[in-house]
Amino acid sequence: MTLVMKFGGSSLANASCMRQAASLVEAALPRAPLVVLSAMGKTTNALFEAAACAERGDLDAALEILARLRAHHEETSQELRVSVPELADDFQELELLLRGVALLRELSPRSLDAIASFGERLSTRIFAAFTGAEWLDARTILRTDARFGEAQPDAAAIQQLAQAHLRPRLGAGRAVVTQGYIGATGDGLTTTLGRGGSDYSAALLGAALDADEVQIWTDVEGVLSADPRVVPGALPIPELGFAEAAELAAFGAKVLHPATIQPAVDANIPVTVRHTARPEGRYTTISAEVTTGRAVTALASRGPVTILTVSSTRMLAQSGFLARLFEVFGRHGVSVDLVATAEVSVSLTVEADAPMEALRRELSAFATVAVSEERAILAVVGERLKRTPGICARIFNALRDINVEMISMGANEINLSLLVRREEADEAMRRLHHALIEGGGGA
Ligand code: ADP
Ligand code: ASP
Ligand code: MG
């Protein structure tokens, strides 16, 4: 029996948050918890900023950020009345790295990962000292490839390492604390799983240990029917199927990192999303078994994205056009989200930071290309979406004067995506929420 408890940055922002998280761990001790932590508050952002300053050669600015971070971590440990000697060593190493970057004015993804890894290393040091839990370096377990910045985990190696080196340390009555987000290659180079990756770490470790639950502790009462910052009346969702959760995550529900779900699905482990400050409150259980039968469960949005409309110059949708088209995107490593095809043209959306000039140049060899930026994808997710008559009428009625530029029904039938102008996305969300969810059609 093992419980994985992951606490996000906002749940660890200061001493009183840490106390609250620690009390939840204490209460869970009989379940042999593995505690996976994010960096405190916005520490990772600050580390990225310091690295960028150093790369520009502005060492003073980088060191100033470092001093602020150090003060905050030291104040937190003082408030918790623990001494954490490792903090000094960590900050010293971090300073060396930043000085190196500033000297060379060069920041490789590999150096950035080394710098970014300190957020989680520091938070776990303080938490372990405060709770008396054993501190474990996640890099000894979480094996990844060398794609720095978005390293891919090696599930088989992680399982083997976790069984050999982590399993024996877990037991009822004690906790082990480790870092989310970070890992290491086979030859020991520090990597990260990408921003927001601590959820992913928790699911990977949960799967490797065959945990009976993975708890994601955050600052909302579970997964809500929309982003509460956009839709203040978003409703809690007590139960969510894996497929629905994966769609929501992929389409921007920040509460879960997009890849989080998969390792837990594969291992059939339920994931719960809970509010750290309100542990007695409502929460969401995500599990494979849940079939809610809801028409619309939740909405999510992602942006900015760019829409490309590519028209064949040969005037005929000759066979091979689509293959040639997607080959270009594939070769540039650009993933395409929505696709809509017409007789001689294809519209597709890509992330705003896609290498647009290179794509345009190559596509121009056999097609004309029109590009519109500053768009957002809205995703309407629900298990019975496809089988509920009248949903589209309600969607278009709610959006009325908001222009929908593309529409796509996910092949898995539980996701209907719409493309709108970015500046209209929030209003569109509120209207859809009102029409599809508050109106009783959904959650
Ligand atoms: P953590 O620091 O705990 O990882 P995140 O900030 O990554 O937390 O994710 C939690 C935030 O996700 C919430 O505060 C909320 O603003 C946002 N969010 C976006 N969509 C949703 C949703 N559908 N349900 C709940 N929260 C959402
Ligand atoms: N600290 C990392 C980030 O801010 C990972 C995480 O919090 O999930 O992206
Ligand atoms: Mg997060």
Side-chain angles (χ1 to χ4, degrees), residues 6-9 38-39 41 44-45 48 116 119-120 180-181 194-199:
K6 177 261 172 178
F7 293 91
S38 288
T44 310
N45 288 354
F48 270 70
E120 274 68 12
Y181 180 52
R195 294 305 307 270
S198 295
D199 300 331

Side-chain angles (χ1 to χ4, degrees), residues 6 8-10 217-220 222-224 226-229 253-255:
K6 177 261 172 178
S10 50
W217 291 91
T218 182
D219 61 353
V220 276
V223 180
L224 307 177
D227 187 339
R229 289 166 302 185
K254 191 191 166 216
V255 67

Side-chain angles (χ1 to χ4, degrees), residues 236-248:
I237 303 173
E239 292 198 308
L240 193 59
F242 267 127
E244 288 175 321
E247 287 296 323
L248 285 174

Side-chain angles (χ1 to χ4, degrees), residues 256-272:
L256 286 169
H257 180 276
T260 306
I261 308 298
Q262 203 58 51
V265 183
D266 295 345
N268 208 8
I269 297 167
V271 177
T272 58

Side-chain angles (χ1 to χ4, degrees), residues 216-226 228 235-238 240 255-256 272-276 278 281-286:
I216 306 284
W217 291 91
T218 182
D219 61 353
V220 276
E221 283 183 311
V223 180
L224 307 177
S225 57
L235 304 172
I237 303 173
L240 193 59
V255 67
L256 286 169
T272 58
V273 182
R274 300 163 185 262
H275 197 320
T276 310
R278 277 177 239 149
R282 288 178 286 199
Y283 63 92
T284 302
T285 303
I286 305 170

Side-chain angles (χ1 to χ4, degrees), residues 313-324:
T313 43
R314 310 271 155 73
M315 276 321 285
L316 277 175
Q318 11 150 280
S319 60
F321 174 61
L322 283 179
R324 204 165 161 194

